[in-house]
Amino acid sequence: METYSRRQALGLGVAALAAAPLTHRATRDRTAGAALDHDPFALGVCSGDPDPTSAVLWTRLTGPGGAPLPAGDVTVGWELADDESFVSIGASGTVEARADEGHSVHAVVELDGPAWYRFVAGGWTSPVGRTAPIPATAETLTLATASCQDAEFGFYAAHRDLAEWRPDLVVFLGDFIYEYASSPVGGPVVRTHGEPEVRSLDDYRRRYAWYLGDADLAAARAAAPWLVIWDDHEVENNYAALVPEDASETDRFAERRLAAYQAWWEHMPVRMPRPTTPDLRIHRRVDWASLASFLLLDGRQYRSDQACDDVALSLDPPCRDALDPERTMLGAEQEAWVADELAAVDATWAVLAQQTVVSDLRMPNGAIVNYDQWDGYAPARERLLLAATQAARTVVLTGDIHIAAAGRLPGVGAEFVTTGVSSLAPVDQATAELLTEAFPDILGVEADHRGYVRHTVTADAWTAEYRSVADPTDPASAVTTWKTFRVEASAPDEVLEL
Ligand code: FE
Ligand code: CA
């Protein structure tokens, strides 16, 4: 706990940044671009996919209300500085924000240490963000895991708290947006986009722009570099590869997936090239010095369709399909890749950053309560866990389920499941406890609250502090600690509650 307060004391600069409204100073136009009537930087800034010498700086230029800019590319300047007020600019350059990429910017900039960054275009200056390359050596790594931020169901006190903590890294595990139509007026929503379900590129862009208008999310995006993977709602609820939720959409689903993947790419600080087909490889490895090797996985793009009609909350024995070893969560290529990488990891911690719950929660009669999780892909899970025994110790970081939990993975390591930032849990607390009470490897489960997880990683131990939002209807809500768990490197499948 001392570690956290000390870091918070040191993080005053970013706490101030997080608290500041997203206001912008008009400055003289440093670029060749024509003056813009409206602030084009309302979606904020982010950085991500750092490596030892560089990171991606992201922004996306929009018109009033997050609407697209008129056609035509725009030249955007980027600037780096050692001080937050940019008294002395250390490096600068320009990049084209292309109309056919939604006027998004992914500038790969060289870094030799932590830096502040900002963009300039059309006479406007963007908010300021904080980024850093991966250090050559690291005694400690602080990282936040977050997922599932359906903005209609809650404000983002969790993001405000995350930004104030100022971790070294944010690992976002998916469900950044939800594709759904707005909930009916009078429902349990705190705000609404008032739109139908999104399907086209323009639809998805509008939805991202609505989410990114939130000041607390913008503060979290600006506070640290992000590693981002997607889950299902960046496209559609529970889609599997090219199988949509609604069979009547099958013929058009590849087109929809391309639109969704392109919109995700346009709004995330990622290093991979823009998708031009309905396929986009996002699984990748990021080594944080010799401390942790992150294997960022994609459990949606290549998976077999959910078995047994994806029946929800089933307590019946599963149909035979669920146990078919041909069925896959990761696809053959990614599955072979992750096995190779797990065998090659020589960092202290191998980390699987991925979407759905790996821990085995099948009932004594074999019933699979949630076919969308790894329980519904049990033979593929056995292969993954066998591969993970090749690494000295593995930590699995999971999102998707909107329930906080921690568990042991015997012989492998530990799993830390973050609850949603704002999305509602599929069951209440009593049901969550009932469904997990028979499992000695599950150490805690919490379904009533929203939040995220603060992880502190050293060569000796992995500590996970679960943060919990008191009131999701209040952006200024208190955020407190639910539980803190620790795994000692010397006993990687023992999870201690502190
Ligand atoms: Fe979700
Ligand atoms: Ca999900």
Side-chain angles (χ1 to χ4, degrees), residues 22 87 149 168 194 306 371:
L22 288 179
V87 171
Q149 52 187 23
D168 296 321
Q306 289 85 352
Y371 282 93

Side-chain angles (χ1 to χ4, degrees), residues 186-450:
V189 300
V190 302
R191 49 186 162 180
T192 181
H193 48 69
E195 297 231 316
E197 183 165 335
V198 291
R199 289 192 169 78
S200 71
L201 177 57
D202 285 345
D203 290 347
Y204 284 105
R205 284 172 173 166
R206 245 186 352 270
R207 188 61 53 89
Y208 278 100
W210 184 71
Y211 273 74
L212 288 168
D214 182 282
D216 291 319
L217 175 56
R221 296 253 291 182
W226 285 45
L227 298 176
V228 186
I229 52 175
W230 57 41
D231 195 21
D232 51 338
H233 289 287
E234 284 87 347
V235 182
E236 185 196 38
N237 180 51
N238 282 10
Y239 83 98
L242 286 169
V243 181
E245 189 177 28
D246 177 351
S248 71
E249 283 194 45
T250 302
D251 291 349
R252 288 164 290 148
F253 191 67
E255 191 183 344
R256 181 178 181 181
R257 199 175 85 170
L258 170 57
Y261 284 4
Q262 176 166 341
W264 177 87
W265 178 88
E266 287 177 355
H267 293 86
M268 295 299 137
V270 289
R271 211 180 267 257
M272 72 278 296
R274 166 164 72 105
T276 53
T277 70
D279 308 297
L280 179 61
R281 176 179 166 154
I282 67 163
H283 60 276
R284 56 204 191 276
R285 171 174 166 175
V286 175
D287 290 341
W288 200 273
S290 60
L291 207 48
S293 281
F294 292 88
L295 303 178
L296 302 157
L297 304 186
D298 178 352
R300 294 290 171 187
Q301 186 174 186
Y302 314 105
R303 72 155 72 188
S304 306
D305 194 17
Q306 289 85 352
C308 315
D309 294 325
D310 199 8
V311 55
L313 295 176
S314 168
L315 296 176
D316 298 324
C319 67
R320 281 180 53 186
D321 194 27
L323 300 173
D324 179 356
E326 297 292 312
R327 295 180 67 256
T328 179
M329 177 68 95
L330 301 176
E333 188 278 334
Q334 184 180 198
E335 190 173 311
W337 172 83
V338 74
D340 288 347
E341 297 297 336
L342 282 164
V345 165
D346 52 16
T348 303
W349 303 94
V351 186
L352 299 177
Q354 54 92 52
Q355 292 81 14
T356 51
V357 174
V358 170
S359 292
D360 192 337
L361 298 170
R362 287 175 294 177
M363 297 289 129
N365 67 348
I368 294 168
V369 176
N370 187 332
Y371 282 93
D372 188 52
Q373 310 295 306
W374 283 89
D375 273 353
Y377 300 77
R381 170 171 56 196
E382 279 173 39
R383 298 193 295 270
L384 178 74
L385 291 175
L386 182 64
T389 62
Q390 299 282 306
R393 55 192 75 71
T394 299
V395 168
V396 179
L397 303 175
T398 301
D400 182 63
I401 197 71
H402 314 171
I403 295 173
R408 301 185 184 97
L409 297 169
V412 169
E415 178 169 28
F416 295 117
V417 183
T418 184
T419 189
V421 164
S422 54
S423 303
L424 303 178
V427 296
D428 62 16
Q429 179 64 13
T431 308
E433 286 177 16
L434 197 66
L435 290 170
T436 55
E437 67 183 0
F439 297 92
D441 292 325
I442 303 300
L443 285 106
V445 62
E446 213 285 341
D448 283 347
H449 290 85
R450 314 280 65 83

Side-chain angles (χ1 to χ4, degrees), residues 34-227:
L36 294 166
D37 289 341
H38 297 269
D39 175 11
F41 294 115
L43 305 194
V45 301
C46 193
S47 71
D49 278 356
D51 71 14
T53 59
S54 68
V56 176
L57 306 184
W58 171 91
T59 191
R60 180 182 162 225
L61 283 68
T62 57
L69 282 183
D73 300 348
V74 177
T75 302
V76 179
W78 56 264
E79 299 174 343
L80 296 176
D82 290 334
D83 65 291
E84 189 180 352
S85 48
F86 284 78
V87 171
S88 136
I89 291 168
S92 61
T94 59
V95 60
E96 285 296 288
R98 291 171 47 158
D100 63 356
E101 296 179 349
H103 296 102
S104 63
V105 169
H106 300 77
V108 177
V109 300
E110 287 186 21
L111 298 167
D112 55 13
W116 302 96
Y117 66 92
R118 68 183 183 187
F119 298 95
V120 290
W124 299 83
T125 303
S126 78
V128 171
R130 181 76 168 158
T131 194
I134 295 174
T137 60
E139 286 185 10
T140 304
L141 164 63
T142 55
L143 71 120
T145 49
S147 72
C148 296
Q149 52 187 23
D150 191 328
E152 293 199 307
F153 291 111
F155 288 110
Y156 289 159
H159 277 306
R160 189 202 71 229
D161 190 66
L162 186 163
E164 288 169 1
W165 187 45
R166 186 183 165 179
D168 296 321
L169 188 64
V170 177
V171 179
F172 194 86
L173 299 167
D175 288 356
F176 192 93
I177 58 159
Y178 282 71
E179 83 285 11
Y180 292 138
S182 63
S183 294
V185 175
V189 300
V190 302
R191 49 186 162 180
T192 181
H193 48 69
E195 297 231 316
E197 183 165 335
V198 291
R199 289 192 169 78
S200 71
L201 177 57
D202 285 345
D203 290 347
Y204 284 105
R205 284 172 173 166
R206 245 186 352 270
R207 188 61 53 89
Y208 278 100
W210 184 71
Y211 273 74
L212 288 168
D214 182 282
D216 291 319
L217 175 56
R221 296 253 291 182
W226 285 45
L227 298 176

Side-chain angles (χ1 to χ4, degrees), residues 406-408 413-416 443 485-487 491-497:
R408 301 185 184 97
E415 178 169 28
F416 295 117
L443 285 106
F485 299 97
R486 176 170 291 165
V487 177
D493 63 357
E494 289 302 318
V495 182
L496 313 167
E497 187 182 335

